[in-house]
């Protein structure tokens, strides 16, 4: 039996610990975009072996927070503003299309899954002070809304394309969470999207999905503008729909 001070050193626990700690370093700005993540240095700093670290970095790559580049290894993902604008414009179009299709074709199972997600999100909303881990879980739970909706369209190419986009844009979601203090709007937008889709109102659903992504795009531009004021430069996002 484990005592109160015993540390769980099981492989699964060590992998999760490594994942949580490296993710926290990235999101808190302890390591900057483009900075290398050297396994040996991380191992010494975190007191963990390189095996769970390597597995954690693989998982962080899937989430879009790090990149594995040939001959360079893992680095923190760099947000290219022009590419980000183009990807958000594409997501805006495809999310709206998916929401309209899902409003027509959503199954009872899909409705039940969305209801379960919204109950889970309500539990997060009821707490005023969420930890970084809580926020990460709320972000993942919120993304389930979009994943369920696109799945309910039944269109394989659309599903694959949007899921790939969600992965590419995952770091920008954290910009919204940590740099822009408007998470309450994200929650309200999720509620409206789910309400419209489950009411089978395709026009309302498409509009709600479009506004959700447009607001994220506008928030990213606010970050860019704030950085421009600090550095005396202007770096607009790629021209897109307004």
């Amino acid at each position: 039996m484990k005592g109160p001070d015993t540390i769980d050193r099981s492989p699964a626990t060590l992998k999760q610990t490594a994942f949580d700690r490296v993710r926290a370093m990235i999101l808190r700005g302890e390591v900057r975009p483009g900075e290398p993540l050297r396994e040996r240095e991380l191992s010494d700093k975190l007191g963990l072996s390189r095996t769970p670290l390597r597995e954690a970095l693989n998982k962080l790559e899937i989430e879009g927070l790090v990149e594995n580049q040939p001959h360079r290894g893992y680095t923190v993902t760099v947000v290219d503003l022009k590419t980000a604008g183009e990807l958000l414009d594409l997501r805006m179009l495809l999310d709206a299309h998916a929401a309209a299709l899902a409003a027509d074709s959503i199954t009872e199972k899909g409705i039940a899954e969305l209801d379960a997600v919204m109950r889970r999100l309500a539990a997060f909303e009821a707490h005023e002070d969420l930890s970084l881990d809580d926020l990460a879980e709320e972000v993942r739970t919120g993304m389930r809304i979009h994943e369920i909706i696109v799945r309910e369209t039944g269109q394989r190419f659309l599903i694959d394309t949007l899921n790939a986009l969600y992965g590419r844009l995952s770091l920008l979601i954290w910009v919204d969470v940590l740099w822009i203090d408007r998470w309450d709007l994200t929650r309200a937008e999720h509620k409206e999207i789910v309400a419209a889709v489950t009411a089978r109102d395709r026009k309302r659903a498409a509009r709600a999905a479009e506004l959700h992504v447009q607001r994220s795009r506008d928030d990213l531009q606010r970050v860019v503008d704030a950085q421009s004021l600090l550095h005396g430069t202007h770096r607009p996002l790629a021209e897109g729909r307004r």
Side-chain angles (χ1 to χ4, degrees):
M1 181 177 179
K2 294 180 180 180
D5 297 323
T6 301
I7 299 174
D8 187 347
R9 307 292 293 184
S10 67
T13 299
L14 290 175
K15 176 182 175 181
Q16 187 62 44
T17 299
F19 173 78
D20 290 341
R21 295 179 70 177
V22 177
R23 182 187 64 193
M25 290 171 62
I26 294 170
L27 297 179
R28 289 171 179 156
E30 295 175 31
V31 284
R32 301 179 64 81
E35 188 172 336
L37 296 166
R38 299 184 177 91
E39 292 179 16
R40 180 176 296 176
E41 293 178 5
L42 286 173
S43 177
D44 292 341
K45 181 173 183 176
L46 301 178
L48 296 167
S49 71
R50 295 173 72 175
T51 297
L53 276 173
R54 192 171 295 116
E55 293 175 343
L57 289 170
N58 287 337
K59 186 177 178 182
L60 287 164
E61 183 181 15
I62 293 171
E63 290 207 353
L65 294 179
V66 306
E67 297 175 341
N68 189 7
Q69 302 177 346
H71 311 300
R72 291 192 61 193
Y74 287 101
T75 59
V76 179
T77 299
V78 175
V79 179
D80 178 89
L81 299 177
K82 182 177 185 297
T83 299
E86 292 171 356
L87 292 175
L88 284 169
D89 285 341
L90 181 58
R91 182 186 167 184
M92 193 189 312
L93 290 169
L94 295 183
D95 263 9
H97 181 54
L101 292 176
D104 289 336
S105 62
I106 191 166
T107 63
E108 291 302 318
K109 176 186 176 183
I111 292 174
E113 287 184 74
L114 287 176
D115 286 343
V117 169
M118 295 310 295
R119 287 195 298 272
R120 177 65 176 147
L121 290 176
F124 286 112
E125 190 174 2
H127 292 82
E128 292 185 3
D129 298 315
L130 296 178
S131 68
L132 185 61
D133 286 342
D134 291 332
L135 281 172
E137 184 60 30
E138 183 174 2
V139 167
R140 286 192 290 269
T141 303
M143 282 306 303
R144 282 291 298 149
I145 293 172
H146 304 289
E147 292 164 359
I148 292 168
I149 287 174
V150 68
R151 186 202 68 205
E152 288 294 303
T153 68
Q155 297 198 6
R156 174 52 51 192
F157 187 74
L158 180 61
I159 293 169
D160 291 344
T161 301
L162 270 173
N163 283 334
L165 270 177
Y166 297 152
R168 289 286 302 275
L169 291 168
S170 59
L171 188 59
L172 293 183
I173 295 172
W174 283 104
V175 170
D176 213 20
V177 174
L178 298 178
W179 296 4
I180 303 291
D181 188 20
R182 300 209 293 174
W183 193 237
D184 56 327
L185 290 180
T186 297
R187 289 167 169 165
E189 289 159 1
H190 281 158
K191 291 175 185 176
E192 172 62 12
I193 292 168
V194 171
V197 170
T198 55
R200 303 183 185 278
D201 187 333
R202 62 177 290 124
K203 184 175 180 180
R204 176 186 169 194
R207 183 58 176 162
E210 182 178 16
L211 289 174
H212 176 56
V213 182
Q214 179 65 68
R215 200 264 309 161
S216 294
R217 195 184 194 287
D218 291 343
D219 283 349
L220 180 60
Q221 184 66 62
R222 289 174 60 199
V223 172
V224 174
D225 291 342
Q227 291 177 335
S228 297
L229 289 175
L230 288 174
H231 301 292
T233 60
H234 179 61
R235 301 179 65 190
L237 296 177
E239 289 296 324
R241 295 174 59 197
R242 290 292 177 185

